[in-house]
Amino acid sequence: MPSRLPATAWKAGGTTGLLLALLLALLAPVPARAAEPDTPLALSIDTLGATTINGKGPIRVSGTLTNLDTEEWDDVRIYPFIGSTPITTESDLADQAASPDNALVGSRITDEGDYTTVDKVAAGETVAWSLTVKRSDLRAHLAVTEPGVYWFGVHALGSNDVDGVPTADGRARTFLPLVPKQGKKAKPEKVAVILPIRRRVIHTPDGRIADAAGWAQQLGDDGRLGRLLSFGSTSTRISWLLDPAVLDAVRMLAGGNQPRSLGAVDGSEDGSSSASPSASASPSADAGESDSGLTEEEIADDKAAQTAATRWLERLRSALPGHEVLTLPYADPDLPALAVHDKRLYAKARERADAVFSALGITGGVPVTAPPSGYLDEAAIKLLRDRPLTIVSDQMVEGDAPPVALVDGHRLVTTSSEAASGGAGPGDRLSPVALRQRIVAQASLRLATHRPLVVLLPSRWTPAGSAPAFFDDLTTTSWVDLTTVGDAVSDQSATSVASDDLVYPETEAEAQLGENVFDSVDDLIRAGMTLQSVLTHNTDVGTQVLSEALTSTSYFARRGRGEAADRSTNVIRSELGKISVETPAAVTLSSDSGRFAVTVANGLDEPITVRLRADADPGISITGPEEVQVGPQARSTVLLTASALNNGVHTVRLRLTDADGTHVGDGAVLPIRSAQVSTIIWWFVGVGLALLFLAIFVRLVRRVRAARRTPEEAAATADPADPADHTDAAATPPAPGTP
């Protein structure tokens, strides 16, 4: 609120007056942006020994009183109060729950014995209180006895306050219904409470679960996930909503939070059927790190998480039997975003979910989709071709949402967004008492129509206070049938709802994961499958990487941009980069074909199987073996055959690929020179050689004939011009006996 300029400042007149006015305005106190507590005392209702005004016997109420003041308070009286006007519709109940914390909603009950006194509470101190209210006094203070929902709560008044003053120094309030008497044949109101096990899952680049310390805290008895198990375990019938990615992460933590394994999982080594974990980390003496690169603090966090995760899984297995188990797709993916960017991921998320539940021995689950916000758009609904049980908020349907809506052939179970929002302030609107009384109040207003009440508790809700009382009081209320989602809607006919009557807020559309996230996810999935394909004895790493990738598509990843997927992709590509092909500097062919050697190097600690692919111009072709197997940290020589169709220098790019033809590593470029001689030249060479051999033959024939002639024949046939004939004749000695 703007400060007013004092009227006296204007009397100064002229520039001086204006400057003085501005100075006073600047020095004026500025209202604080954050509102201070409107009462110096804070009250809470932690237990309420009744769900309705109906019944016999007194109602015991207890809680805490906290002094928010800077001074000590003495003789603080805590009075119960009750409203006088019943709330008879769900819309009125929603309006009343949203009323200001200091709204006057009831009158105090000051009868002796119905209030209590706290003698002293120091500044900042919190003390416990309790009181007992007679039901007869409650009814006496009601102006009418019409059935409905009434305000109920407590006021704290200091010793300087007097009765009749409407204000209070501290207050806490909730709802208490008055239910009409039910006949023996009356049907109880079906109420289903869904308890979600959800959490953001993030992997480190090497495949481990990030934030082990945070997981250890949440899985502990006092953590959110630990308290959820304790809370749900006290119920006779409840619907568990499980994200398999959370359970998978807990399983990994219970196994020591090992990094992504490239080891054999096909039973080819040591008779093992699963990847052997990395060697246990031990602290390094000089750098405070283990052999695996983890710091001592990280090792301690992993050990704490391992202990908490192991115990939590045991408790989960004990808590699930007898209850309805609703199974989400793996990592609870952002369905509206999937429908736009990558529809195939939904089927993959379902397959991974089935595999995780099977591995954990959790059977009989009901496949569901249940967006945390409660909203799905039309494209997301059409994506669900497997027609799972779809749970949405009643706010997604324009007007009065039916218990079961039929949209394009899909059954949508609507939950009460108002009941899930909890009770009224001040104080924790989602405390067990506030939440229980809001559910009971909502259910009482549906008794006449018997519309089932399905409540999906908030994803990040942490139970506090006494869990058993929450369900004990619900199950002992005769007109409430605490049941499962499936049972609650089993007898409900679906009401057709047109697509135009669906609500999808703009804020939801703006929050959806973008295309860049799915590009990163796709890159990671392909990198993981390529790595698995080249590893000779590993058939599991691709699935591990798929699980990591799916966590980046979660509703809980909406604020991210796929950074975790990008980091993991870079690490996997670095691993693939350790596989390379080495070639000679150049190759020269002396004929139209020839063989040359290349080397495949494996820098991984596991054996690989790759293929060689040669990309060359049309003037040459390269052939070689179908597959190349190389041992860990080894090199293998491969002989290739080059066949040239014409002369010249040909550029050949050699690349390693997996079985699907995906490139591995950077490859190498090899120039091959073809020096083959043309066919015409070979004809000339052939004719020349033929003439040479003919000349030699003629010469030999002539020599043989000359050797057989007599001297007289030689002299008679000698060619005077041929010196050889004369030499041969002169050199021939006379026959014996010739004079």
Side-chain angles (χ1 to χ4, degrees):
M1 183 176 181
S3 300
R4 292 185 177 181
L5 298 177
T8 54
W10 295 102
K11 297 181 180 180
T15 305
T16 304
L18 179 60
L19 291 176
L20 179 60
L22 292 174
L23 180 61
L24 291 174
L26 291 173
L27 293 177
V30 179
R33 292 183 179 270
E36 295 293 333
D38 62 345
T39 59
L41 302 176
L43 278 173
S44 72
I45 300 176
D46 298 334
T47 62
L48 177 59
T51 55
T52 65
I53 297 175
N54 308 70
K56 299 179 180 180
I59 300 174
R60 180 175 175 81
V61 190
S62 66
T64 60
L65 170 69
T66 302
N67 183 3
L68 304 177
D69 204 350
T70 57
E71 298 180 358
E72 181 182 277
W73 280 64
D74 301 325
D75 298 327
V76 179
R77 290 190 177 186
I78 300 177
Y79 295 94
F81 74 84
I82 188 72
S84 58
T85 304
I87 304 167
T88 57
T89 66
E90 292 186 59
S91 60
D92 287 344
L93 180 63
D95 292 339
Q96 289 293 313
S99 63
D101 294 348
N102 58 358
L104 185 61
V105 295
S107 58
R108 300 185 189 109
I109 302 173
T110 58
D111 297 342
E112 192 68 31
D114 287 334
Y115 65 88
T116 188
T117 302
V118 177
D119 294 334
K120 182 182 298 184
V121 54
E125 184 183 8
T126 298
V127 297
W129 62 267
S130 65
L131 57 84
T132 301
V133 187
K134 295 184 287 293
R135 291 182 192 264
S136 58
D137 290 344
L138 283 181
R139 296 189 183 96
H141 281 75
L142 296 178
V144 292
T145 56
E146 178 186 352
V149 177
Y150 291 85
W151 279 105
F152 175 78
V154 289
H155 285 166
L157 281 77
S159 58
N160 58 332
D161 291 302
V162 295
D163 295 341
V165 178
T167 59
D169 299 313
R171 60 178 67 88
R173 55 186 187 164
T174 187
F175 298 111
L176 205 58
L178 177 61
V179 181
K181 187 176 181 180
Q182 302 294 300
K184 293 182 178 180
K185 296 183 179 180
K187 294 174 60 177
E189 174 64 18
K190 290 185 176 182
V191 176
V193 178
I194 306 174
L195 197 60
I197 301 294
R198 282 170 153 162
R199 189 192 191 277
R200 176 77 167 100
V201 178
I202 302 177
H203 289 263
T204 61
D206 63 353
R208 301 168 65 250
I209 300 298
D211 188 25
W215 280 93
Q217 189 278 326
Q218 287 206 6
L219 294 171
D221 293 344
D222 291 331
R224 183 176 68 84
L225 296 177
R227 288 190 174 189
L228 284 173
L229 280 188
S230 299
F231 184 79
S233 299
T234 62
S235 172
T236 55
R237 296 193 79 181
I238 196 173
S239 296
W240 290 96
L241 180 66
L242 304 181
D243 178 359
V246 175
L247 274 58
D248 202 19
V250 176
R251 180 183 60 82
M252 288 184 62
L253 291 168
N257 200 15
Q258 301 297 331
R260 191 184 304 114
S261 173
L262 307 186
V265 293
D266 60 359
S268 60
E269 294 183 1
D270 300 327
S272 174
S273 60
S274 61
S276 56
S278 304
S280 59
S282 57
S284 173
D286 52 353
E289 294 187 355
S290 69
D291 295 338
S292 62
L294 300 179
T295 65
E296 293 183 2
E297 182 179 0
E298 289 172 329
I299 294 172
D301 290 342
D302 281 345
K303 289 182 178 179
Q306 183 176 18
T307 302
T310 301
R311 184 170 183 272
W312 191 89
L313 280 178
E314 293 174 353
R315 295 175 60 200
L316 177 69
R317 292 188 179 98
S318 300
L320 295 183
H323 300 284
E324 183 180 55
V325 178
L326 308 176
T327 60
L328 290 165
Y330 193 94
D332 201 4
D334 186 345
L335 298 178
L338 258 64
V340 175
H341 301 295
D342 197 339
K343 297 178 181 179
R344 300 169 302 171
L345 288 180
Y346 175 72
K348 294 180 183 293
R350 276 289 175 209
E351 291 173 1
R352 284 299 303 137
D354 293 342
V356 170
F357 288 123
S358 176
L360 292 173
I362 298 174
T363 59
V366 179
V368 302
T369 56
S373 65
Y375 292 100
L376 289 176
D377 62 3
E378 186 177 0
I381 295 174
K382 291 180 178 179
L383 174 68
L384 307 175
R385 295 182 179 179
D386 56 339
R387 304 292 176 89
L389 178 65
T390 303
I391 301 172
V392 298
S393 169
D394 54 4
Q395 293 181 326
M396 185 179 141
V397 180
E398 193 74 45
D400 191 13
V404 181
L406 188 66
V407 180
D408 292 333
H410 296 264
R411 286 171 58 92
L412 310 182
V413 176
T414 60
T415 65
S416 173
S417 57
E418 290 296 338
S421 67
D428 184 4
R429 296 173 182 264
L430 290 173
S431 71
V433 170
L435 187 60
R436 184 197 72 196
Q437 290 307 114
R438 181 61 186 273
I439 292 173
V440 171
Q442 197 98 5
S444 69
L445 298 178
R446 296 191 178 193
L447 263 174
T449 59
H450 288 292
R451 294 172 59 222
L453 178 63
V454 179
V455 183
L456 173 58
L457 299 182
S459 299
R460 294 182 172 88
W461 180 62
T462 302
S466 176
F470 184 96
F471 292 109
D472 288 348
D473 292 336
L474 279 180
T475 53
T476 56
T477 302
S478 60
W479 55 272
V480 171
D481 178 15
L482 184 62
T483 185
T484 62
V485 176
D487 180 63
V489 300
S490 61
D491 58 352
Q492 296 292 313
S493 299
T495 302
S496 295
V497 175
S499 300
D500 294 340
D501 292 330
L502 298 180
V503 177
Y504 193 68
E506 185 177 346
T507 53
E508 283 291 306
E510 293 174 350
Q512 286 178 201
L513 293 172
E515 183 178 4
N516 60 322
V517 173
F518 288 90
D519 289 341
S520 299
V521 168
D522 186 55
D523 288 343
L524 178 55
I525 293 174
R526 286 190 286 109
M529 293 307 298
T530 300
L531 181 59
Q532 175 177 302
S533 182
V534 300
L535 292 171
T536 305
H537 301 303
N538 189 302
T539 57
D540 188 56
V541 69
T543 302
Q544 295 178 38
V545 174
L546 172 62
S547 300
E548 298 173 29
L550 287 173
T551 60
S552 292
T553 69
S554 173
Y555 282 107
F556 296 96
R558 277 186 164 183
R559 295 183 180 180
R561 298 181 179 179
E563 300 92 338
D566 289 336
R567 290 192 293 266
S568 295
T569 301
N570 292 335
V571 169
I572 293 176
R573 286 176 176 171
S574 176
E575 293 292 312
L576 292 172
K578 297 177 181 179
I579 305 171
S580 62
V581 57
E582 300 171 1
T583 66
V587 173
T588 300
L589 300 179
S590 59
S591 63
D592 60 348
S593 65
R595 304 182 75 184
F596 63 96
V598 298
T599 301
V600 177
N602 177 20
L604 299 177
D605 294 330
E606 303 295 334
I608 62 169
T609 300
V610 293
R611 296 184 178 186
L612 266 172
R613 173 179 172 179
D615 297 322
D617 58 58
I620 194 171
S621 64
I622 307 295
T623 59
E626 183 73 13
E627 290 184 342
V628 179
Q629 294 189 352
V630 187
Q633 296 292 341
R635 302 160 66 86
S636 179
T637 300
V638 181
L639 290 178
L640 301 178
T641 300
S643 300
L645 302 178
N646 51 48
N647 289 331
V649 178
H650 305 278
T651 300
V652 178
R653 184 176 184 85
L654 291 176
R655 295 184 178 183
L656 298 174
T657 73
D658 64 3
D660 296 326
T662 303
H663 294 160
V664 178
D666 295 331
V669 176
L670 174 65
I672 299 180
R673 179 182 296 275
S674 174
Q676 60 178 321
V677 183
S678 68
T679 305
I680 296 176
I681 294 177
W682 282 115
W683 275 105
F684 277 108
V685 172
V687 172
L689 289 174
L691 292 175
L692 175 63
F693 285 118
L694 180 61
I696 294 173
F697 176 76
V698 171
R699 185 77 175 204
L700 289 174
V701 170
R702 291 178 64 184
R703 283 183 175 272
V704 171
R705 288 179 178 177
R708 292 177 178 178
R709 289 180 297 181
T710 62
E712 292 80 3
E713 292 176 336
T717 59
D719 186 358
D722 188 352
D725 289 344
H726 294 285
T727 302
D728 291 342
T732 302
T738 302

